[in-house]
Amino acid sequence: MTLQSSTQHYSEYIRDMKAEVIRALETYLSPAYIPDPSFEEATRYAVLGGGHRWRPVLLIAVAEMFGSSNDKVMLSACALELIHSASIILDDSPCMDNASMRRGKLTFHKVFGEAMTTLTTNYLVSVADRLLVKNSEVLHINPGTLFEYVEKA
């Protein structure tokens, strides 16, 4: 589905793109990518526990405005969401906000502890880095270019 010019179409587009992003994220957080079941549970809790997915949907919409397609930028869209998720669980941790709830659920560190918070944050950023490198290959561009764009986002 591509972005069209009516409110109803925008709503459908956002819903559809959000669903595609979630499906892609589920792939990168599956046992095929994460061999340790307890770590898989933690990463899925951190990333798939809700959220609007505005960042990846906007990245996809902008790419489409410039003539690309969502399949060409989905890896970068997922990387952006993984980095955002990592920043949220780190921000909620005791050394930062020490939040107890997010999106109506216990925050990550309340469920998995501080050590797993640190490990998961690092893991999500490393997966995001790998997705960006992989996406640069799909787009036939220098990986450093994608890293520059994500750093500015």
Side-chain angles (χ1 to χ4, degrees):
M1 172 179 232
T2 58
L3 193 54
Q4 298 175 17
S5 61
S6 80
T7 304
Q8 181 179 8
H9 291 299
Y10 292 143
S11 298
E12 291 171 7
Y13 175 85
I14 291 167
R15 182 198 65 224
D16 292 348
M17 286 304 106
K18 180 179 175 179
E20 285 190 38
V21 167
I22 291 169
R23 277 192 298 277
L25 287 167
E26 287 173 339
T27 298
Y28 302 119
L29 301 175
S30 71
Y33 288 84
I34 305 170
D36 184 327
S38 63
F39 201 57
E40 178 191 356
E41 178 188 358
T43 56
R44 292 177 70 83
Y45 189 90
V47 178
L48 300 174
H52 297 292
R53 313 291 183 219
W54 286 114
R55 289 159 191 81
V57 169
L58 286 172
L59 186 148
I60 292 166
V62 169
E64 288 179 356
M65 286 172 42
F66 286 97
S68 190
S69 59
N70 63 0
D71 60 319
K72 295 220 180 210
V73 296
M74 186 59 75
L75 292 164
S76 291
C78 288
L80 188 58
E81 190 65 15
L82 293 176
I83 292 167
H84 174 65
S85 295
S87 72
I88 285 175
I89 65 171
L90 188 59
D91 183 61
D92 288 340
S93 68
C95 66
M96 302 293 277
D97 290 348
N98 198 24
S100 296
M101 301 292 287
R102 178 171 293 273
R103 300 178 184 138
K105 296 180 359 184
L106 287 173
T107 53
F108 189 90
H109 74 276
K110 293 286 185 182
V111 176
F112 296 98
E114 291 181 59
M116 188 61 95
T117 298
T118 302
L119 289 171
T120 302
T121 299
N122 289 330
Y123 178 76
L124 292 175
V125 171
S126 72
V127 172
D129 286 349
R130 286 195 308 257
L131 293 178
L132 288 172
V133 168
K134 192 172 181 179
N135 207 161
S136 69
E137 294 166 1
V138 169
L139 298 171
H140 307 292
I141 60 174
N142 180 331
T145 305
L146 279 175
F147 285 102
E148 289 174 22
Y149 287 125
V150 170
E151 285 175 359
K152 293 176 186 177

